[in-house]
């Protein structure tokens, strides 16, 4: 897993989203840290926090193919893809292609509580020749629980633009983690490019990033196990 440590590496439109991130830092091992370093605080075991984010799949089977940014409060994260791209060339033997990235998020959940994902956003771009189709799909669920959600966008050429698909999960549709147990949240993003009806022209679809948990009102919603529902 790669944790980005400078905003200079991000496209301009991501800088605003990442403005709340704490600067990286840690103890120097030689007494007090230098003034330009920040000692990372130990997470509070009585609160929810993200322990680890890892990825695998044909689009992120190496750490160099993706980067992860965890928010300073460890309640939200973004994964940025470096290789979630499909391209059709006239010289290709295969004009129907797919690629995926399966993201696993280990969550620390304090005893007696449950947690639910509040929002997910995926962004990308595509340039498609006439009659070429492309699809981006996100599936997400908790490990061991078949109930989850699916979001997708289907594009039909000619198309040359960015795209975005997202979900702010309605309160009644929230899927809660097991009560008081460590949770593993899974997110599987898949791209499909079908150029079989126009194989002689170049087309491409790219998934840029997925943003999980960010929302204007809440990031993750917590409720006590067996207790009254939390305020909306």
């Amino acid at each position: 897993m790669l944790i980005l440590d400078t905003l200079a590496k991000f496209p301009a439109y991501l800088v605003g989203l990442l403005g709340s991130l704490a600067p990286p830092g840690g103890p120097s091992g030689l007494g007090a840290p230098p003034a330009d370093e920040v000692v990372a605080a130990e997470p509070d075991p009585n609160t929810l926090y993200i322990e680890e984010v890892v990825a695998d799949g044909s689009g992120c089977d190496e750490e160099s193919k993706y980067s992860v940014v965890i928010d300073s409060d460890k309640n939200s994260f973004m994964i940025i893809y470096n290789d979630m791209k499909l391209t059709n060339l006239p010289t290709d033997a295969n004009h129907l292609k797919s690629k995926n990235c399966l993201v696993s998020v280990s969550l620390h959940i304090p005893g007696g509580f449950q947690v639910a994902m509040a929002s997910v956003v995926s962004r990308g771009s595509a340039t498609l020749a006439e009659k070429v189709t492309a699809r981006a799909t996100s599936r997400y669920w908790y490990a061991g629980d078949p109930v989850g959600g699916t979001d997708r966008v289907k594009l039909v050429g000619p198309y040359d633009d960015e795209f975005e698909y997202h979900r702010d999960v309605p309160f009644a549709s929230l899927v809660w983690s097991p009560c008081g147990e460590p949770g593993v949240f899974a997110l599987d993003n898949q791209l499909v490019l079908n150029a079989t009806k126009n194989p002689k022209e170049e087309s491409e679809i790219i998934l840029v990033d997925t943003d999980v948990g960010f929302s204007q009102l809440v990031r993750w919603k917590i409720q006590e196990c067996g207790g009254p529902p939390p305020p909306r």
Side-chain angles (χ1 to χ4, degrees):
M1 175 186 67
L2 302 180
I3 303 297
L4 295 188
D5 56 6
T6 172
L7 294 181
K9 297 180 182 178
F10 291 89
Y13 82 96
L14 293 179
V15 174
L17 290 175
L18 304 177
S20 63
L21 294 178
S28 66
L30 297 175
D36 59 350
E37 291 188 5
V38 177
V39 177
E42 289 294 325
D44 183 349
N46 296 314
T47 63
L48 162 74
Y49 59 85
I50 295 171
E51 294 181 325
E52 185 179 30
V53 180
V54 296
D56 197 6
S58 55
C60 48
D61 54 348
E62 299 176 5
E63 290 188 345
S64 62
K65 293 183 179 180
Y66 68 96
S67 302
V68 173
V69 178
I70 299 177
D71 193 28
S72 57
D73 62 8
K74 296 191 175 184
N75 280 193
S76 308
F77 76 94
M78 174 186 286
I79 180 166
I80 301 168
Y81 310 101
N82 300 325
D83 194 45
M84 280 291 283
K85 177 173 68 173
L86 295 173
T87 303
N88 178 75
L89 299 174
T91 55
D92 290 344
N94 179 24
H95 300 286
L96 176 60
K97 304 175 182 180
S98 64
K99 185 173 284 191
N100 85 300
C101 182
L102 176 62
V103 183
S104 297
V105 186
S106 298
L107 298 170
H108 171 83
I109 302 174
F113 285 83
Q114 294 172 279
V115 61
M117 186 194 72
S119 64
V120 59
V121 183
S122 290
R123 308 174 186 88
S125 64
T127 301
L128 307 177
E130 187 174 2
K131 298 182 179 179
V132 174
T133 62
R135 186 174 68 249
T137 303
S138 292
R139 293 180 57 246
Y140 37 88
W141 66 96
Y142 283 104
D145 189 342
V147 178
T150 301
D151 294 302
R152 63 174 59 88
V153 60
K154 183 176 181 180
L155 308 172
V156 180
Y159 185 94
D160 186 10
D161 204 350
E162 298 176 348
F163 64 85
E164 175 180 301
Y165 58 106
H166 70 276
R167 172 178 294 205
D168 292 319
V169 184
F171 182 83
S173 300
L174 290 173
V175 178
W176 299 100
S177 65
C179 184
E181 300 178 11
V184 176
F185 173 77
L187 169 71
D188 190 19
N189 281 314
Q190 182 183 49
L191 295 179
V192 176
L193 179 65
N194 186 347
T196 56
K197 292 184 178 180
N198 187 358
K200 299 302 181 182
E201 292 191 59
E202 184 173 346
S203 295
E204 184 175 73
I205 182 171
I206 302 171
L207 190 64
V208 176
D209 62 70
T210 299
D211 205 347
V212 178
F214 284 96
S215 172
Q216 287 186 330
L217 297 178
V218 302
R219 293 179 179 176
W220 299 82
K221 293 186 178 179
I222 286 183
Q223 70 172 11
E224 291 189 47
C225 300
R232 302 186 183 213

